[in-house]
Amino acid sequence: PGLQMSQQQINPTRILVLLNMVTKDDLTDSDEYADILDDIREECRKYGNVESLQIPRPLPDLDVPGVGKVFVEFSSVDSAMTAAKAIGGRTFAGRVTISSYLDESKYFAGQFQ
Amino acid sequence: EPQEGKRRKRSRFGEENIAERNLIGAQTVLPSNMTPLQQQCYILHLRIEDANMRLRTGRFGYSDDPSKRSPSPEPVYNGEGKRLNTREYRYRKKYEDDRHEAIQEMIKLNPNYHVPPDYRPPVQKLED
């Protein structure tokens, strides 16, 4: 209850956003960060061509936008949609991953809100 | 076991898909028109529901196959030789802590939030 939303519009783009996947602590450790990049890149490749992958890292004394989110640029909207469905609901390090999309223009402008 | 001197990495991805198994009635692809606050509340709600489900059912999502699990910590025993930090205990604590953290954040964002009926805040240690 409360988690089921009424039919609302999902506007898929080539930019898949993965939520609830990484924490600030995971991203601070450099080895851990490299492993996380590998794990996500490997998994996403199964669903299409990954053009780029961005995982914002926290910086001391700075509020970095998008920390805690993972942004994956696929070569097509179809691949992003396949990945969104396949990965959404899967666990990553014990947390349930949720998918979303970001406008391409925002992604390329670095607006990782 | 290590092969050719290289550490074989284990992916952080779990095999189970929580949504597919309908364990929590969650929508796993979010609508585009959610505000950042709505998104934040949704994720917190999901974390709380997921932890509730796991604590209620004892399904903590670890594999029965030891080769698919991360190494266990050194065992800790009590005076009678009973192991204290069992896998069940460690996972239960992990999800209780996570639920507590998520509930505290949720209360900050939404003061009208009703906490789950079986939730008890951990006993705070008194400090001077």
Side-chain angles (χ1 to χ4, degrees):
Chain A
L3 280 171
Q4 206 68 50
M5 280 168 286
S6 54
Q7 289 304 312
Q8 280 175 302
Q9 215 166 355
I10 297 168
N11 299 314
T13 71
R14 291 195 299 118
I15 316 298
L16 170 69
V17 184
L18 300 169
L19 309 162
N20 200 36
M21 200 172 204
V22 291
T23 65
K24 268 187 187 180
D25 287 348
D26 301 337
L27 300 169
T28 310
D29 184 287
S30 289
D31 288 342
E32 181 84 7
Y33 184 75
D35 280 0
I36 288 172
L37 278 172
D38 278 355
D39 280 354
I40 296 174
R41 192 178 292 117
E42 286 300 305
E43 183 66 26
C44 285
R45 269 191 196 142
K46 296 178 187 169
Y47 310 106
N49 286 327
V50 175
E51 302 280 346
S52 66
L53 171 61
Q54 300 276 352
I55 309 180
R57 289 184 83 174
L59 291 169
D61 307 322
L62 250 177
D63 195 14
V64 181
V67 168
K69 296 183 184 179
V70 172
F71 302 87
V72 191
E73 181 201 351
F74 283 94
S75 54
S76 75
V77 177
D78 273 356
S79 301
M81 286 170 73
T82 311
K85 288 199 187 96
I87 298 177
R90 289 269 298 280
T91 56
F92 188 80
R95 286 177 289 274
V96 183
T97 301
I98 296 294
S99 305
S100 177
Y101 300 97
L102 182 69
D103 285 346
E104 274 184 48
S105 56
K106 285 184 181 161
Y107 179 74
F108 292 114
Q111 289 173 5
F112 299 152
Q113 44 184 251
Chain B
E1 56 265 52
Q3 284 166 357
E4 294 150 23
K6 241 191 160 183
R7 183 169 66 106
R8 243 191 87 110
K9 282 193 303 171
R10 195 167 293 122
S11 173
R12 286 158 181 72
F13 277 101
E15 290 308 314
E16 62 173 356
N17 189 314
I18 302 265
E20 262 173 22
R21 294 185 179 210
N22 267 325
L23 292 174
I24 43 177
Q27 187 167 330
T28 53
V29 184
L30 295 189
S32 320
N33 57 354
M34 281 176 106
T35 65
L37 179 67
Q38 285 172 328
Q39 223 178 56
Q40 232 178 327
C41 285
Y42 181 82
I43 296 293
L44 288 173
H45 200 143
L46 177 87
R47 277 173 58 190
I48 296 165
E49 287 295 308
D50 181 39
N52 276 345
M53 179 276 288
R54 289 176 190 276
L55 293 166
R56 198 171 54 233
T57 60
R59 285 182 47 108
F60 294 118
Y62 49 79
S63 175
D64 289 331
D65 176 357
S67 73
K68 288 187 178 159
R69 294 194 303 249
S70 17
S72 301
E74 286 296 307
V76 176
Y77 300 98
N78 70 4
E80 283 127 42
K82 190 173 183 290
R83 183 165 175 185
L84 296 177
N85 60 341
T86 60
R87 185 162 299 109
E88 152 89 19
Y89 172 86
R90 285 183 283 120
Y91 277 81
R92 183 164 289 279
K93 179 150 187 354
K94 173 183 137 111
Y95 284 105
E96 272 171 1
D97 290 351
D98 191 56
R99 180 170 72 162
H100 172 65
E101 195 187 285
I103 287 173
Q104 293 309 307
E105 280 180 51
M106 187 69 127
I107 291 169
K108 265 188 242 164
L109 293 179
N110 174 10
N112 295 322
Y113 176 71
H114 291 285
V115 302
D118 61 335
Y119 167 72
R120 300 281 175 276
V123 180
Q124 299 286 323
K125 279 188 189 143
L126 290 176
E127 284 171 76
D128 275 335

